[in-house]
Amino acid sequence: MAAYRRGDLASASEGFAAARSGYRLAGDERKAAEMANNQCVALVSLGRGAEAVSVVQDTAAVFAATRDRIMAAKATGNLASALEAAGRLEEAATAYDRALKDFHAAGDRASEAETWQALSRLQLRRGDAFGAAASAQAALDLAPKPGPVRRLLRSITGKAFRLPKA
């Protein structure tokens, strides 16, 4: 973690990989999955999306097996981010949708809002401005007691994307 905090993402990734192997050898699959998720974040930040996908693809199932719904949803969100970084945008959108459902079911509004924001950015990359606006609005709707900036943004997005009456 120290390397990650210093911004040395390559060393952090190697450290997380070593820790993951150690936990696997010790038979602690849950801790190994945590390290895989940490490594995934570092790899995505390094622009190594395909590698991140291979590291994190099975971690949600590990957390689901331990009935940790929030960590399973976070792992699915990390997979979505890795898929996006790897250029696999359709699969990323599907994974983001699954993470959204899981966060909603678990009642984690903050993570659900972050995932809506990530989905909005992905939709912009894909040229879906209306979908991106709707996703951004969903993230805003989850925000607790919006401040003046959020109220202004909500007002603007509400007016800009309202369909004219027939």
Side-chain angles (χ1 to χ4, degrees):
M1 279 299 231
Y4 187 82
R5 284 189 206 107
R6 284 193 318 268
D8 184 357
L9 299 175
S11 293
S13 176
E14 291 170 10
F16 292 136
R20 181 170 48 114
S21 295
Y23 284 123
R24 275 217 172 109
L25 287 172
D28 191 340
E29 286 299 316
R30 188 182 192 296
K31 284 286 193 187
E34 286 179 28
M35 293 301 110
N37 275 283
N38 292 340
Q39 184 182 12
C40 171
V41 172
L43 290 169
V44 167
S45 296
L46 289 167
R48 292 162 50 188
E51 189 177 346
V53 169
S54 69
V55 166
V56 79
Q57 65 189 355
D58 298 323
T59 61
V62 172
F63 294 119
T66 64
R67 299 194 186 337
D68 190 338
R69 292 170 39 180
I70 291 176
M71 283 303 295
K74 287 181 180 185
T76 302
N78 285 340
L79 174 61
S81 178
L83 287 164
E84 182 178 358
R88 295 163 56 181
L89 304 185
E90 292 299 320
E91 293 171 87
T94 300
Y96 280 132
D97 285 339
R98 190 171 46 241
L100 283 167
K101 290 174 184 151
D102 293 345
F103 282 129
H104 184 77
D108 186 344
R109 292 173 58 93
S111 295
E112 185 180 355
E114 288 175 16
T115 306
W116 276 116
Q117 291 171 349
L119 180 59
S120 177
R121 287 188 299 272
L122 171 67
Q123 289 166 322
L124 279 175
R125 278 185 70 190
R126 293 170 58 201
D128 181 7
F130 287 108
S135 295
Q137 183 64 53
L140 287 172
D141 290 343
L142 289 168
K145 297 179 187 171
V149 172
R150 286 202 170 134
R151 284 196 304 271
L152 175 64
L153 288 173
R154 186 176 290 161
S155 169
I156 291 169
T157 59
K159 290 176 184 166
F161 295 102
R162 218 174 265 138
L163 294 175
K165 294 184 181 180

